[in-house]
Amino acid sequence: MRELLNLADYRAAARGRLPASVFAYISGGSGNELAMRDNAAVLARMAIVPRALIDCRHGHTRVDLLGQTFASPLLLAPVAAQGLVHAEGELATARGGGALDVPMVLSCMASQPMETVLAEHGGSCWLQVYWQGSRARTLEVVRRAEAAGFAALVLTVDTPVNGLRLRELRAGFAMPADAAAVNLPAHAARALDVPAGGSRIFQGVMRSAPTWDDVAWLRQQTRLPLVLKGLLAVQDVLRAAALGADGVVLSNHGGRALERAPAPIRMLAAARAAVGDVLPLLIDGGFTTGAQVFMALALGARAVLIGRPQVYALAVAGDAGVARMLRILRDELELTMALAGCATLADITADSLLSLASAGMDA
Amino acid sequence: MRELLNLADYRAAARGRLPASVFAYISGGSGNELAMRDNAAVLARMAIVPRALIDCRHGHTRVDLLGQTFASPLLLAPVAAQGLVHAEGELATARGGGALDVPMVLSCMASQPMETVLAEHGGSCWLQVYWQGSRARTLEVVRRAEAAGFAALVLTVDTPVNGLRLRELRAGFAMPADAAAVNLPAHAARALDVPAGGSRIFQGVMRSAPTWDDVAWLRQQTRLPLVLKGLLAVQDVLRAAALGADGVVLSNHGGRALERAPAPIRMLAAARAAVGDVLPLLIDGGFTTGAQVFMALALGARAVLIGRPQVYALAVAGDAGVARMLRILRDELELTMALAGCATLADITADSLLSLASAGMDA
Amino acid sequence: MRELLNLADYRAAARGRLPASVFAYISGGSGNELAMRDNAAVLARMAIVPRALIDCRHGHTRVDLLGQTFASPLLLAPVAAQGLVHAEGELATARGGGALDVPMVLSCMASQPMETVLAEHGGSCWLQVYWQGSRARTLEVVRRAEAAGFAALVLTVDTPVNGLRLRELRAGFAMPADAAAVNLPAHAARALDVPAGGSRIFQGVMRSAPTWDDVAWLRQQTRLPLVLKGLLAVQDVLRAAALGADGVVLSNHGGRALERAPAPIRMLAAARAAVGDVLPLLIDGGFTTGAQVFMALALGARAVLIGRPQVYALAVAGDAGVARMLRILRDELELTMALAGCATLADITADSLLSLASAGMDA
Amino acid sequence: MRELLNLADYRAAARGRLPASVFAYISGGSGNELAMRDNAAVLARMAIVPRALIDCRHGHTRVDLLGQTFASPLLLAPVAAQGLVHAEGELATARGGGALDVPMVLSCMASQPMETVLAEHGGSCWLQVYWQGSRARTLEVVRRAEAAGFAALVLTVDTPVNGLRLRELRAGFAMPADAAAVNLPAHAARALDVPAGGSRIFQGVMRSAPTWDDVAWLRQQTRLPLVLKGLLAVQDVLRAAALGADGVVLSNHGGRALERAPAPIRMLAAARAAVGDVLPLLIDGGFTTGAQVFMALALGARAVLIGRPQVYALAVAGDAGVARMLRILRDELELTMALAGCATLADITADSLLSLASAGMDA
């Protein structure tokens, strides 16, 4: 096997190793995959201006996040059903993240018990939660996370309805029973009984979707830090801040929710300007290099969540693969920082960026 | 046969099933097909910003159009000679539309009698009319439509001269006799006798083209709502409004008329701003997904006409195909609305759109 | 042979029929062909907004040019050595142009005597002149053109040095003896003796290049209208006007001179604005459809010169080919005018144009 | 072998002749090669507006640089280890440069003794220096260069850490012993011992990287002109000027350092505006034609360094190849100047440039 030098290599290796339908499930986006492609396209259109001769010998990549300090501005994004690609699933991923001091945001759709995952990680993990159709059922999951010792809750709000993921449909993907979500109460299957003449979406699925009122209620129910994941509109970010959220993840769900959602990084600078410096903004969506992580930080992100590459690395080499993937990203980030003259994350600002579409000779 | 999951699938399936020359006739545009390509290109360059946590459980897609209410902001665009692709032609299309409460704008070049088509549809249909070379002959068609019970007239004004459709010419397409226009008086063939030294176009075909005076005259002849189809310039839309038109379809005739006409959606916001909220603006031209329909509504369209996909669906599966194709579009629209936080069409505004060419990091 | 429906068809047919080296000579540009590609690229990026319901029955394409009226705003551009592709060379081209009332701008590098070409055309022709290294030798050619009855002189000023045309070099093209320039005095070969240490270009070729002083002198020597061909900079167009030129051809020599010259149509509107309405601006460079001709007229050109397509048509079908090619262009122009609501050339303005790069949704 | 007509031909010929791993080493960039591609992409997006009828018979391409006059605004960029591609390595390159009066900026990583290279060149050479980990070790190299008679020092500051050059890694490239750097003291290998818990980059490599203080110190140590190579940010260029540098080379190291560094030519006009006319700005990065050199001069560069093409020409034809490659570039520059109406370098200004992205019809 050729040496795995960057995250694209992990993707290629995973593709060669996973059943086509599983790879389609992981790698695909919704509809015509416009959101997914925008994630990559936007990241390609920015340059980083190097700065020379700056003393970086005391440099590091440490970051403060929800009151804790981590080795790097990276998190493992919540990805469901990791039993699909590796026998140990989330347990192995957790060990890989723990080894690099990278917090894992465990999906509530995990195929391993949340308590065990947390133990395997050994450090700080957050629990991602989908609304469970009612306040009571949602609270059940929250209480279990509190009891287990998760350090924060991440409520995903961008998929009250699932996008239509054609790639996996055409590949005939079906979730196998042994990758099922073991942490959710059995009654949580979404209600789909639709009144006559009603819409399957509006009067069906959306009946069990959460609203801002539900989030305000949830905010009152727990003392854990609460992060909202899947906002993009600046107004939504402002509302999250006003409601007392401890963080926001700008995300288009890796291009798997709204087919034409813009890349989150398009919205980052405006969101940062709107909410000021206090609320941590995190981001995900197509990040595969340390230089891209640098760009997100420069535009105002506190940290970056890594989704699909986590699964590719897990598929290729288990816990060691996840750790190595995270190490590559961090090395690339350090290299970028050193060449851009940034010794710490605080030194990374938008002054380092240059839009290739509008700058220089095109001005 | 692979499952038909979106409108692109219907196109592919129709391509595999129709004679190459017939597919060329349907799918082609005029000249070098720049207008047709612009339709697709522009639609690709816009994002929709999702909004989270909005209560959509009372959502619907109903629309008011010329005094009637329909289930969705979709219409079947006028497409000539559907006998070409299906034995029942427009009869089957009408049943498909009727099943989904989608009005059919029947082409005056239909291969089935207009009265029968209307009966098969069972709901509201509009009749599309080409100018028949003289006021008297045009009035004959109008009177028949009134008698039959059509709910509106749609006068197409963008093709006084036909574009040169190279694709069908090169494929050797010829309209078969049994797809002939059965609803037009035999005398309506266009005059082509050109005075010596005259131009075949200016002194030939254009002699039987309508003018604004003819439209003003027609407006006085009928109490049916009158819609002008094929305007793009804002001045023309304003003139249609001043003249008493009940609606306008922004259209470049699917890229089959002026080779370099812009995509109608480029003109939509300016036209909406110019005429205000009263005059309904409809649109067609390359729409193949519900998200694209959403974008047109966001820019000011009241509804979207679906042309070529109608014929592809008819070719693939007759009335059931047409109904299924319309259902897919409406489902995609509902999904887009739910994820964009729009419970009704009135909630869809330009605030939801983001031009990928100019926004975010490129600004 | 497949039917020739547009100018691209003539190109393809000529390519199939000519020796590869001859086709390379005709079709190639200089250097990396950036100027040639820009000609095509810019023309692709503009839309024409249709106007409906305008009375065009008295329409025509007639144009006044240097005191004469022609059937259409088209001219045959000067192209050297047409004996290369057809036994009769320029004689056949002239007959084709004459049949459509299209003036021929005969190249001074023609392979047929200028007097015979003029007779075969039967109408108005202009003679293109290269500076012949000295005033006296240049005047010889001018006097012969006056005596022969040419209606105007076109002095080409964009190639004091030839561009490096790699395509023909790689194809091993060499000009055969029987395509030689029969209208030039034998002594006109350019001086290439370079002083020691001097540059082959600056102290060699450029020693026999004309200057503005030479043009001012030439302006005094003849009463024929004088047109300068090959200007692009607005300042140069203004200087030509001040000096008494009767017209200017904006041109990058079909992309065969300066490798990176912009497409002339990029400079047209600014040049028109600078010199006002009096001085006729003509243009060439990549025009292959009537809609493109329409765009040039809309931006301020009085007429368009057709270069390479002339040679392709000549190669494919001699005089009839040239006439047919010109007829196609004129028909396409008339079709465009009718659909854009322009009955005469005077009705064609920039209001009809829409830049696809900056308009509509991208604004 | 097909005739070598331009620098792209030399690249193709070298590719056919060198081992794949060596070609990968020379031709590759760092990471995903975004910086390297930007170099080419930006150069493609500018046009040069020709000027006609200007007297150029006294034209030349001479340039003053650090107090000396050279035949053309070209320099041979520092390229390490030329023994890789030719038995004589830098000796042959030097002869080729000397023959065209083109200064060689000899890499301190050369595989031939600097004194011999200088002698083979016969004219003016500059020595490129990497910081040698300490002031004392760096000074050793500087003193040897002074003693040898180099005319200037060029300190490269853009690669305190090497970029990850995937292409050569994947091709299995390893530097052979006989291409080793013969001019550097053996002790100069970079320190890589990293304290426990430290970063290989920040606490490892960056410990031996130079800072602005080191450059200020170096400025005091030598009377040779000092040029800083590898700046891009305007602030860095200003600081270099303030510190007494005699010149700056805007460079992204041919795309081999920071993966996403912008093309230097994007920064040129701003840097020139910031520092005024006194400090000479040189540039490199993807220049392969004389017209591109013209563009850099128009935007404010005094001269252009030629890197990879130098090695390709050396590989293909030794000293004669290098000389021929430089001659082609100069001929192309002269041709461009003549057609753009610029008799000397002083006549080349930004007035000649037109951005293809923003000008003309797109405005």
Side-chain angles (χ1 to χ4, degrees):
Chain A
M1 190 174 72
R2 95 181 196 175
E3 195 184 357
L4 301 171
L5 297 170
N6 59 16
L7 272 57
D9 288 348
Y10 276 96
R11 183 182 194 278
R15 178 172 215 159
R17 178 173 302 226
L18 292 171
S21 70
V22 171
F23 187 78
Y25 164 74
I26 297 164
S27 63
S30 61
N32 291 306
E33 304 192 331
L34 296 159
M36 192 170 80
R37 280 205 299 273
D38 195 43
N39 289 350
V42 164
L43 288 169
R45 243 177 295 153
M46 232 180 327
I48 299 173
V49 182
R51 297 300 299 272
L53 296 164
I54 297 187
D55 185 348
C56 290
R57 70 194 76 179
H58 302 298
H60 65 82
T61 60
R62 287 191 292 278
V63 70
D64 291 324
L65 217 45
L66 304 185
Q68 292 188 280
T69 299
F70 300 100
S72 67
L74 301 174
L75 295 93
L76 289 164
V79 181
Q82 302 192 9
L84 262 178
V85 305
H86 190 273
E88 288 190 291
E90 293 82 2
L91 302 181
T93 304
R95 286 196 301 269
L100 272 286
D101 192 21
V102 168
M104 179 171 189
V105 185
L106 181 67
S107 168
C108 70
M109 310 289 284
S111 44
Q112 295 285 351
M114 62 173 87
E115 295 79 6
T116 323
V117 174
L118 189 51
E120 292 289 309
H121 185 281
S124 186
C125 291
W126 305 354
L127 188 76
Q128 177 271 343
V129 185
Y130 281 116
W131 191 253
Q132 296 298 312
S134 76
R135 293 181 175 186
R137 288 184 294 214
T138 304
L139 203 52
E140 274 186 57
V141 183
V142 169
R143 293 287 177 249
R144 181 168 168 192
E146 290 169 337
F150 281 85
L153 294 172
V154 177
L155 182 70
T156 300
V157 297
D158 55 10
T159 42
V161 195
N162 278 325
L164 193 68
R165 294 201 298 265
L166 300 172
R167 213 192 275 215
E168 75 188 61
L169 283 166
R170 301 203 194 289
F173 174 77
M175 185 66 73
D178 60 358
V182 300
N183 294 295
L184 296 182
H187 50 189
R190 293 184 177 181
L192 273 171
D193 49 313
V194 180
S199 143
R200 187 184 61 80
I201 287 172
F202 290 122
Q203 282 76 49
V205 187
M206 293 301 286
R207 267 177 35 219
S208 49
T211 65
W212 286 105
D213 284 345
D214 295 318
V215 176
W217 165 86
L218 180 60
R219 173 67 299 184
Q220 306 305 321
Q221 302 307 310
T222 179
R223 304 179 74 165
L224 281 181
L226 178 63
V227 175
L228 294 193
K229 177 168 181 289
L231 304 184
L232 283 172
V234 170
Q235 302 98 309
D236 285 356
V237 176
L238 282 168
R239 192 159 178 180
L243 187 143
D246 300 285
V248 161
V249 183
L250 297 184
S251 174
N252 63 16
H253 213 110
R256 295 164 83 88
L258 182 61
E259 179 201 30
R260 281 175 176 270
I265 203 167
R266 289 185 186 270
M267 317 304 283
L268 180 53
R272 170 52 66 219
V275 297
D277 284 338
V278 181
L279 186 76
L281 297 178
L282 293 81
I283 194 167
D284 69 5
F287 290 86
T288 56
T289 73
Q292 294 170 341
V293 171
F294 179 99
M295 298 190 301
L297 301 179
L299 288 166
R302 186 76 62 88
V304 173
L305 284 71
I306 304 301
R308 291 187 182 90
Q310 164 193 168
V311 190
Y312 299 142
L314 175 64
V316 169
D319 51 10
V322 173
R324 173 84 190 118
M325 179 275 295
L326 292 169
R327 180 79 237 178
I328 288 173
L329 267 184
R330 183 171 145 192
D331 283 349
E332 290 176 347
L333 174 61
E334 291 188 358
L335 177 60
T336 305
M337 289 170 66
L339 293 176
C342 300
T344 70
L345 303 191
D347 298 325
I348 303 177
T349 72
D351 289 349
S352 287
L353 301 186
L354 188 74
S355 163
L356 296 186
S358 68
M361 299 188 339
D362 303 333
Chain B
M1 190 174 71
R2 97 180 196 176
E3 197 184 355
L4 301 172
L5 297 170
N6 59 17
L7 272 57
D9 288 348
Y10 276 97
R11 185 184 193 278
R15 179 172 215 158
R17 178 172 301 226
L18 292 171
S21 70
V22 171
F23 187 78
Y25 164 74
I26 297 164
S27 63
S30 61
N32 291 307
E33 303 192 333
L34 296 159
M36 192 169 82
R37 280 205 299 274
D38 195 43
N39 289 349
V42 164
L43 289 168
R45 244 176 296 153
M46 234 181 326
I48 299 173
V49 182
R51 297 300 300 271
L53 297 165
I54 297 187
D55 185 348
C56 289
R57 71 194 75 179
H58 302 298
H60 65 83
T61 60
R62 285 190 295 277
V63 69
D64 291 324
L65 218 44
L66 304 185
Q68 292 188 281
T69 298
F70 301 99
S72 67
L74 301 173
L75 295 94
L76 290 163
V79 181
Q82 302 191 8
L84 262 180
V85 306
H86 189 275
E88 287 191 291
E90 292 82 1
L91 301 181
T93 304
R95 286 197 302 269
L100 270 288
D101 193 21
V102 168
M104 179 173 191
V105 185
L106 181 68
S107 168
C108 70
M109 309 289 285
S111 45
Q112 295 284 351
M114 63 172 84
E115 295 79 6
T116 323
V117 175
L118 189 51
E120 291 290 308
H121 183 281
S124 186
C125 291
W126 304 355
L127 189 75
Q128 177 271 342
V129 185
Y130 281 117
W131 190 253
Q132 296 298 312
S134 76
R135 293 181 174 186
R137 287 183 296 212
T138 304
L139 202 52
E140 272 186 58
V141 182
V142 169
R143 293 290 174 249
R144 183 169 166 189
E146 290 170 338
F150 281 85
L153 294 173
V154 176
L155 181 70
T156 300
V157 298
D158 56 10
T159 41
V161 194
N162 278 325
L164 193 67
R165 296 201 297 265
L166 299 173
R167 211 191 278 216
E168 75 188 62
L169 283 166
R170 302 205 194 286
F173 174 77
M175 185 66 73
D178 62 357
V182 302
N183 293 294
L184 295 182
H187 51 188
R190 292 184 178 181
L192 271 171
D193 48 313
V194 180
S199 142
R200 188 184 63 80
I201 286 171
F202 290 123
Q203 282 77 47
V205 187
M206 292 302 285
R207 267 178 34 220
S208 49
T211 65
W212 285 106
D213 285 345
D214 294 319
V215 176
W217 165 85
L218 179 61
R219 174 65 300 185
Q220 304 306 320
Q221 303 306 310
T222 179
R223 305 179 72 167
L224 281 180
L226 178 63
V227 174
L228 294 194
K229 178 170 182 289
L231 303 184
L232 284 172
V234 170
Q235 302 98 309
D236 285 355
V237 175
L238 282 169
R239 192 158 178 181
L243 185 143
D246 300 285
V248 160
V249 183
L250 297 183
S251 174
N252 64 16
H253 212 109
R256 297 165 81 88
L258 183 60
E259 179 201 31
R260 280 175 178 269
I265 204 166
R266 289 185 188 269
M267 318 303 284
L268 181 52
R272 171 51 67 220
V275 297
D277 284 338
V278 183
L279 185 75
L281 297 179
L282 294 82
I283 194 167
D284 69 5
F287 289 86
T288 57
T289 73
Q292 293 170 341
V293 171
F294 179 100
M295 299 190 300
L297 302 178
L299 288 167
R302 185 74 63 88
V304 173
L305 285 72
I306 304 301
R308 290 188 183 89
Q310 165 192 168
V311 190
Y312 300 142
L314 176 64
V316 169
D319 50 9
V322 173
R324 174 84 190 117
M325 179 276 295
L326 292 168
R327 181 79 237 177
I328 288 173
L329 266 184
R330 182 171 145 192
D331 284 349
E332 289 177 348
L333 174 61
E334 291 188 357
L335 177 60
T336 305
M337 289 170 67
L339 293 176
C342 299
T344 69
L345 304 192
D347 298 325
I348 303 175
T349 72
D351 289 349
S352 287
L353 301 187
L354 188 74
S355 163
L356 297 185
S358 67
M361 300 187 339
D362 303 332
Chain C
M1 191 175 70
R2 98 181 196 176
E3 196 183 355
L4 301 172
L5 297 170
N6 59 17
L7 271 56
D9 289 348
Y10 276 97
R11 185 183 194 276
R15 179 172 215 159
R17 179 172 300 226
L18 291 172
S21 70
V22 171
F23 187 78
Y25 164 73
I26 298 165
S27 63
S30 60
N32 291 308
E33 303 192 333
L34 297 160
M36 192 169 82
R37 281 206 299 275
D38 195 43
N39 289 349
V42 164
L43 289 169
R45 245 177 294 153
M46 234 182 325
I48 298 173
V49 182
R51 298 300 299 273
L53 296 164
I54 296 187
D55 186 348
C56 289
R57 70 193 78 177
H58 303 298
H60 65 83
T61 59
R62 286 190 294 277
V63 69
D64 291 324
L65 218 45
L66 304 187
Q68 292 188 281
T69 299
F70 301 100
S72 67
L74 301 174
L75 295 93
L76 290 164
V79 182
Q82 302 192 7
L84 262 180
V85 305
H86 190 274
E88 288 191 290
E90 291 83 0
L91 302 181
T93 304
R95 286 196 302 270
L100 269 288
D101 194 21
V102 168
M104 179 172 190
V105 185
L106 181 68
S107 167
C108 70
M109 310 289 285
S111 46
Q112 296 284 351
M114 63 172 85
E115 295 80 3
T116 322
V117 175
L118 188 54
E120 291 290 308
H121 184 281
S124 186
C125 291
W126 305 354
L127 188 76
Q128 178 269 344
V129 184
Y130 281 116
W131 190 255
Q132 296 298 311
S134 76
R135 293 182 175 185
R137 288 184 294 214
T138 304
L139 202 54
E140 272 185 58
V141 182
V142 169
R143 293 289 176 249
R144 181 168 167 190
E146 290 171 337
F150 281 85
L153 294 173
V154 177
L155 182 70
T156 300
V157 298
D158 55 11
T159 41
V161 194
N162 278 324
L164 194 66
R165 294 201 298 266
L166 299 172
R167 210 190 277 216
E168 74 188 62
L169 283 167
R170 301 205 194 287
F173 174 76
M175 185 66 73
D178 61 357
V182 301
N183 293 293
L184 295 183
H187 50 190
R190 293 182 177 184
L192 273 171
D193 49 313
V194 180
S199 143
R200 188 184 61 80
I201 287 173
F202 290 124
Q203 283 76 47
V205 188
M206 292 302 285
R207 265 176 37 219
S208 49
T211 66
W212 285 105
D213 284 345
D214 294 318
V215 176
W217 166 85
L218 180 61
R219 173 66 297 185
Q220 305 305 322
Q221 303 304 312
T222 178
R223 306 180 71 168
L224 281 180
L226 178 63
V227 175
L228 294 194
K229 178 169 183 288
L231 303 184
L232 284 173
V234 170
Q235 303 97 309
D236 285 355
V237 176
L238 282 169
R239 190 158 178 182
L243 184 145
D246 300 285
V248 160
V249 183
L250 297 183
S251 174
N252 63 16
H253 213 109
R256 297 164 82 88
L258 182 61
E259 180 201 30
R260 281 175 176 268
I265 204 165
R266 289 186 188 269
M267 318 304 283
L268 181 52
R272 169 52 67 219
V275 297
D277 284 338
V278 182
L279 186 75
L281 296 179
L282 293 82
I283 194 167
D284 69 6
F287 290 86
T288 57
T289 73
Q292 294 170 341
V293 171
F294 179 99
M295 298 190 302
L297 301 179
L299 288 167
R302 186 75 62 86
V304 174
L305 284 72
I306 305 301
R308 290 187 183 89
Q310 165 193 166
V311 189
Y312 298 142
L314 175 65
V316 170
D319 51 10
V322 173
R324 175 83 190 119
M325 179 276 294
L326 292 169
R327 180 80 236 178
I328 288 173
L329 267 185
R330 182 170 145 192
D331 283 351
E332 289 177 348
L333 174 61
E334 291 188 357
L335 178 60
T336 305
M337 290 171 67
L339 294 175
C342 299
T344 69
L345 303 192
D347 298 323
I348 303 175
T349 72
D351 289 350
S352 287
L353 300 187
L354 189 73
S355 164
L356 297 185
S358 68
M361 299 185 342
D362 303 333
Chain D
M1 190 175 72
R2 98 181 194 174
E3 196 183 355
L4 302 172
L5 296 170
N6 58 17
L7 272 55
D9 289 347
Y10 276 97
R11 184 184 195 276
R15 178 172 215 157
R17 178 172 301 224
L18 292 171
S21 70
V22 171
F23 187 78
Y25 164 74
I26 298 164
S27 63
S30 61
N32 291 307
E33 304 193 332
L34 296 159
M36 191 170 80
R37 281 205 299 275
D38 195 42
N39 288 351
V42 164
L43 289 169
R45 243 177 296 153
M46 233 181 325
I48 298 173
V49 183
R51 297 301 300 272
L53 296 164
I54 297 187
D55 186 348
C56 290
R57 71 193 76 179
H58 302 298
H60 65 84
T61 60
R62 286 191 293 276
V63 69
D64 291 324
L65 218 45
L66 303 187
Q68 291 188 281
T69 299
F70 301 100
S72 66
L74 301 173
L75 295 91
L76 290 164
V79 181
Q82 302 192 8
L84 261 179
V85 305
H86 189 275
E88 288 190 290
E90 292 81 1
L91 301 182
T93 304
R95 285 197 301 270
L100 270 288
D101 193 21
V102 168
M104 181 171 190
V105 185
L106 182 69
S107 169
C108 71
M109 310 289 284
S111 43
Q112 297 283 352
M114 62 173 83
E115 295 79 4
T116 323
V117 175
L118 188 54
E120 291 290 308
H121 184 281
S124 186
C125 290
W126 305 354
L127 188 76
Q128 178 270 344
V129 185
Y130 281 117
W131 190 254
Q132 296 298 312
S134 76
R135 293 182 175 186
R137 287 183 296 212
T138 304
L139 202 53
E140 274 185 57
V141 182
V142 168
R143 292 289 175 248
R144 179 168 169 192
E146 290 169 338
F150 281 85
L153 293 173
V154 176
L155 182 71
T156 299
V157 297
D158 55 10
T159 41
V161 194
N162 278 326
L164 194 67
R165 295 200 299 265
L166 300 171
R167 212 191 276 217
E168 75 188 60
L169 284 166
R170 300 204 194 289
F173 174 77
M175 185 67 72
D178 61 357
V182 301
N183 294 293
L184 295 183
H187 51 188
R190 294 183 178 183
L192 272 170
D193 49 312
V194 180
S199 144
R200 187 184 60 80
I201 287 171
F202 290 124
Q203 283 77 47
V205 186
M206 293 302 286
R207 266 175 36 221
S208 49
T211 65
W212 285 106
D213 284 345
D214 295 317
V215 175
W217 166 85
L218 179 60
R219 173 65 299 186
Q220 306 306 321
Q221 303 306 311
T222 178
R223 305 179 72 167
L224 280 182
L226 177 64
V227 174
L228 294 193
K229 178 167 182 290
L231 303 183
L232 283 172
V234 170
Q235 304 98 308
D236 285 355
V237 175
L238 282 168
R239 191 158 178 182
L243 186 143
D246 300 285
V248 161
V249 183
L250 297 183
S251 174
N252 63 15
H253 213 109
R256 296 165 83 88
L258 182 60
E259 180 201 31
R260 281 174 176 270
I265 203 165
R266 289 185 187 270
M267 317 304 282
L268 180 53
R272 168 54 65 219
V275 296
D277 284 338
V278 182
L279 186 75
L281 297 178
L282 293 82
I283 195 167
D284 70 5
F287 290 85
T288 57
T289 71
Q292 293 170 342
V293 171
F294 179 99
M295 298 189 303
L297 301 179
L299 288 166
R302 186 75 63 88
V304 174
L305 285 70
I306 304 301
R308 291 187 183 89
Q310 164 193 167
V311 189
Y312 299 142
L314 175 65
V316 169
D319 50 10
V322 172
R324 174 84 189 119
M325 180 275 293
L326 293 169
R327 179 80 236 178
I328 288 173
L329 267 184
R330 182 170 145 192
D331 283 350
E332 290 177 349
L333 174 61
E334 291 188 357
L335 177 60
T336 305
M337 289 171 67
L339 294 175
C342 299
T344 70
L345 303 191
D347 298 324
I348 303 177
T349 73
D351 289 349
S352 287
L353 300 187
L354 189 73
S355 163
L356 296 184
S358 68
M361 298 187 342
D362 303 332

